[in-house]
Amino acid sequence: MDGAYVATELQGLLKLRSVPFCMKIFEKVEDMEAVPRIGRPEHVHTLDHLVGQTSRLSWTIGVTADNLVGAPCRALVGLIRPTSRCSMPHPAP
């Protein structure tokens, strides 16, 4: 499958304002680091900051749980098991 073609088609059909991106979970850090041109954060970030970099700058970023701020960011992408301690807050009614 041609990822660039699929992304272009999605943007046109859905009138997206940002470039589609995907996430992949690797079992081993070494496998993730083998991806060509992968970048690694030098500091701790929130997940939405890394998603923004990926989407807006067309970067390929590899992260581990150590790169993400707090349990909610880690649990959201499956890097840790969610618990009541790291559950996401619900908006007020």
Side-chain angles (χ1 to χ4, degrees):
M1 177 185 317
D2 181 1
Y5 172 78
V6 172
T8 301
E9 288 294 304
L10 278 173
Q11 281 182 290
L13 292 170
L14 301 175
K15 298 183 182 6
L16 301 176
R17 292 185 284 177
S18 63
V19 177
F21 67 93
C22 69
M23 294 183 174
K24 180 174 182 174
I25 295 178
F26 291 92
E27 298 218 8
K28 299 179 193 167
V29 173
E30 296 81 18
D31 294 340
M32 175 189 67
E33 291 174 337
V35 174
R37 298 186 346 232
I38 195 161
R40 296 295 312 275
E42 294 179 12
H43 305 286
V44 176
H45 297 281
T46 60
L47 185 61
D48 60 319
H49 183 237
L50 296 171
V51 167
Q53 288 179 355
T54 301
S55 177
R56 290 177 191 86
L57 303 173
S58 297
W59 288 358
T60 300
I61 300 174
V63 299
T64 63
D66 294 336
N67 300 123
L68 298 174
V69 174
C73 286
R74 295 172 186 146
L76 188 61
V77 290
L79 295 176
I80 65 169
R81 183 180 301 270
T83 65
S84 60
R85 191 175 133 246
C86 69
S87 62
M88 301 302 284
H90 298 289

